[in-house]
Amino acid sequence: MKHHTLLASALIGVVASARSMTPMATISAARLLGRSTPGRLALLDRPLFRLGALVLGAGELFGDKMKTAPDRTVFLGLLARVMSAGIAGAALAPRGREPSGAVAAIATAVPLAYVGLDIRKNAMQRIGQTRSGLMEDALIVAAGVAIVALAVSSKSRS
């Protein structure tokens, strides 16, 4: 699938707004399955980075349900979103447009983190932290997988 727009980059920013590590985990999983991203990013070809991204992605899904989990808009939460969205946005951008892809993803992730936090807090009041978190996880992980699956190609076709 040819991509000439930054749509995949912006959409992965939506994912990063809710789960900071999911964009990198889904891209790492795709790379492990032999897929390549449109944008060049040597970082994704390092096995230790791929494993770390997968572990952090899984850990975040568990940690989010803890009563002591910080809001996604605290400084470190936003920093993680900026970094993950930037890396993932660059990887999903068309070749040669990686910086623009990073900017598109970050510009989507940061403001939507605030919107998502408000939605999540309302859901927590209604159905609790764990149930609302599991529902958000299912939606965000599915979105991340779908976005990455549509944006990547098999290495044999690249």
Side-chain angles (χ1 to χ4, degrees), residues 46-149:
R46 298 202 168 117
L48 186 60
F49 179 78
R50 280 191 220 154
L51 177 62
L54 291 170
V55 169
L56 288 171
E60 181 180 37
L61 296 178
F62 288 106
D64 178 65
K65 308 322 165 283
M66 297 173 54
K67 299 285 184 209
T68 58
D71 287 345
R72 62 190 75 185
T73 57
V74 300
F75 175 76
L76 290 178
L78 287 176
L79 180 62
R81 279 164 178 69
V82 166
M83 292 171 57
S84 179
I87 292 168
L92 298 182
R95 181 102 3 129
R97 298 194 60 205
E98 292 90 347
S100 297
V103 169
I106 293 166
T108 304
V110 173
L112 285 182
Y114 289 91
V115 173
L117 177 61
D118 189 49
I119 292 168
R120 176 73 187 278
K121 283 183 175 182
N122 287 332
M124 285 171 52
Q125 288 178 345
R126 286 206 211 127
I127 61 173
Q129 182 172 2
T130 302
R131 285 179 62 198
S132 65
L134 291 172
M135 291 171 66
E136 188 178 34
D137 287 347
L139 177 65
I140 292 303
V141 170
V145 168
I147 293 160
V148 171

